[in-house]
Amino acid sequence: MAISGLGSHSISLFFCVILATLLRKAQGQNLVTNNVSVVEGEMAIISCRVKNNDDSVIQLLNPNRQTIYFRDVRPLKDSRFQLVNFSDNELLVSLSNVSLSDEGRYVCQLYTDPPQEAYADITVLVPPGNPILESREEIVSEGNETEITCTAMGSRPASTIKWMKGDQPLQGEATVEELYDRMFTVTSRLRLTVSKEDDGVAVICIIDHPAVKDFQAQKYLEVQYKPEVKIVVGFPEGLTREGENLELTCNAKGKPQPHQINWLKVDDDFPSHAVITGSDLYIENLNKSYNGTYRCVASNLVGEAYDDYILYVYDSRADGAPQKIDHAVIGGVVAVVVFAMLCLLIVLGRYFARHKGTYFTHEAKGADDAADADTAIINAEGGHNNSDDKKEYYI
């Protein structure tokens, strides 16, 4: 019994050693693969790679666990699978004309004990159809809002839609609709208010999807806007003098082109002999009664606009440009005059302050020409010459 027991123990130990050896061998044989993304209708490459293979068998299974290749033999009767390369360390298989039904998890299997498996997920990409670009109206008036929609139909996964106006990115509002087999249709709506500068500018819908590059559609904005008006002087050049002729041209452009151009004189009657021909105004033999503001008004379906020309008729002998009044110089002159007057008033005030108390008594009448006070007293009317003569001063 002891010998039998020892024998059983030895057999168990033997199997443990063999199992450990197999596990170490299996762990040393590293089986790897990789996931694949492929566009519908194109080719996928499935790779099973072994590191440190010891002649173990490699096989490839489909998502239904059916053997596609066992070593270099293809049991599966699907000719779309073709052997690209086979060696002790690699099994490389191609799958052409991939369809949605081919999507799933493929298995690389290595016949060790226990067997090893690695998994390759094939993802089938379905590009969207050509983007459909639609606008709510073909022609928009400046200042109004318009809406443009872009639709990317039947893609897998769902597409992302971006917008550009010229080189300016814009933000749309997207909605996603799921169809069969995880297919998606995406619609993005762009709302924008247009100006006359947007006329002829491209609005671009850009489809972002892993199956396609540079996939986009565009339309050019057509914007109507009211006229832009500018009055141009034909002649004379320089000053407008009496007796000369005047010609003005009204340049107006808009979308649509202005259908009506009118001339008028602001707050006054138009000269009776002025001649209007289309957009041109002609006045001959100018005089100062024609002075005033002349206005050209242009209109189209969107609105109207105007430009003004101020006419000032100079004397026939006028030379050069009219002199502008320099208010700073005038102010300086006025300040100097005021200062001089103040100084004069101060001097006069001091003078009168010193002399306003001097007066002559009755006795001093007629002594205006005396050299001094004593002489004035002697010569004064009454002939007083003694010491008792009255002398009266007021200083």
Side-chain angles (χ1 to χ4, degrees):
M1 292 296 294
I3 296 175
S4 297
L6 182 58
S8 298
H9 178 73
S10 299
I11 293 172
S12 299
L13 182 61
F14 173 75
F15 281 112
C16 288
V17 171
I18 292 177
L19 180 59
T21 303
L22 291 174
L23 286 174
R24 284 196 301 270
K25 183 183 293 187
Q27 291 174 356
Q29 299 178 104
N30 188 16
L31 179 63
V32 294
T33 186
N34 54 278
N35 296 328
V36 180
S37 292
V38 60
V39 177
E40 184 181 31
E42 296 185 359
M43 177 182 291
I45 301 295
I46 308 170
S47 174
C48 299
R49 300 181 303 277
V50 183
K51 182 178 180 182
N52 303 324
N53 193 4
D54 61 348
D55 297 330
S56 296
V57 175
I58 305 174
Q59 71 170 348
L60 177 64
L61 310 177
N62 68 11
N64 296 324
R65 307 290 294 190
Q66 297 172 321
T67 301
I68 300 172
Y69 269 91
F70 183 84
R71 298 178 62 89
D72 57 351
V73 177
R74 176 167 54 85
L76 190 66
K77 304 302 181 183
D78 188 342
S79 59
R80 295 182 305 143
F81 290 98
Q82 294 293 322
L83 184 65
V84 177
N85 183 52
F86 171 74
S87 67
D88 290 340
N89 297 316
E90 184 181 52
L91 175 61
L92 200 62
V93 176
S94 65
L95 171 59
S96 60
N97 194 21
V98 175
S99 66
L100 289 175
S101 62
D102 296 319
E103 190 172 81
R105 171 163 291 186
Y106 290 73
V107 182
C108 290
Q109 193 173 77
L110 183 65
Y111 272 93
T112 57
D113 191 9
Q116 289 191 54
E117 291 185 352
Y119 305 101
D121 291 326
I122 291 185
T123 301
V124 179
L125 307 177
V126 180
N130 291 330
I132 301 173
L133 201 58
E134 298 175 313
S135 56
R136 189 171 59 193
E137 53 269 307
E138 293 300 321
I139 301 175
V140 192
S141 297
E142 65 174 333
N144 290 344
E145 183 185 77
T146 187
E147 180 179 285
I148 304 174
T149 61
C150 182
T151 304
M153 299 185 64
S155 66
R156 184 178 182 183
S159 302
T160 300
I161 297 179
K162 301 177 182 177
W163 291 94
M164 297 285 291
K165 186 184 74 172
D167 57 358
Q168 175 188 1
L170 300 177
Q171 184 65 45
E173 182 180 343
T175 57
V176 180
E177 179 186 1
E178 185 172 357
L179 308 176
Y180 58 92
D181 291 336
R182 290 181 293 159
M183 301 281 285
F184 299 92
T185 290
V186 180
T187 300
S188 179
R189 289 175 173 81
L190 175 68
R191 296 181 179 90
L192 70 159
T193 301
V194 299
S195 65
K196 64 182 179 181
E197 289 77 15
D198 292 326
D199 185 45
V201 175
V203 174
I204 307 170
C205 164
I206 303 171
I207 307 298
D208 188 7
H209 191 273
V212 291
K213 293 182 180 179
D214 300 325
F215 207 33
Q216 62 184 36
Q218 66 180 21
K219 75 177 279 51
Y220 292 92
L221 293 172
E222 187 170 353
V223 181
Q224 292 184 334
Y225 51 91
K226 66 182 183 180
E228 298 173 324
V229 184
K230 179 67 177 178
I231 295 177
V232 178
V233 180
F235 58 79
E237 296 181 358
L239 298 181
T240 48
R241 299 180 176 87
E242 288 182 309
E244 292 185 340
N245 301 330
L246 173 68
E247 183 180 47
L248 302 177
T249 299
C250 180
N251 291 334
K253 63 177 182 178
K255 190 170 183 179
Q257 190 64 21
H259 60 269
Q260 188 173 4
I261 295 177
N262 295 322
W263 283 96
L264 58 91
K265 189 176 182 183
V266 179
D267 298 330
D268 202 353
D269 295 331
F270 219 69
S272 59
H273 68 287
V275 178
I276 299 174
T277 305
S279 61
D280 296 332
L281 169 64
Y282 181 78
I283 306 175
E284 64 180 5
N285 194 21
L286 293 172
N287 62 64
K288 293 186 177 181
S289 66
Y290 299 154
N291 289 349
T293 301
Y294 292 79
R295 175 171 295 176
C296 170
V297 182
S299 59
N300 62 10
L301 296 176
V302 181
E304 69 175 27
Y306 66 86
D307 190 26
D308 289 341
Y309 173 80
I310 299 176
L311 173 63
Y312 184 85
V313 180
Y314 294 88
D315 294 333
S316 59
R317 295 170 296 176
D319 184 23
Q323 298 295 320
K324 294 182 179 179
I325 298 176
D326 194 330
H327 297 286
V329 173
I330 293 177
V333 172
V334 171
V336 171
V337 172
V338 171
F339 180 77
M341 293 179 66
L342 288 174
C343 291
L344 180 60
L345 289 174
I346 293 172
V347 171
L348 291 175
R350 292 175 60 87
Y351 177 82
F352 286 116
R354 295 182 59 184
H355 296 87
K356 69 178 181 178
T358 304
Y359 68 93
F360 298 107
T361 65
H362 177 75
E363 292 80 357
K365 290 181 179 179
D368 295 333
D369 297 327
D372 53 40
D374 294 332
T375 304
I377 294 172
I378 295 172
N379 295 334
E381 183 178 349
H384 297 287
N385 57 1
N386 53 44
S387 60
D388 294 332
D389 293 339
K390 295 180 181 180
K391 297 180 181 180
E392 192 171 350
Y393 301 89
Y394 182 85
I395 300 175

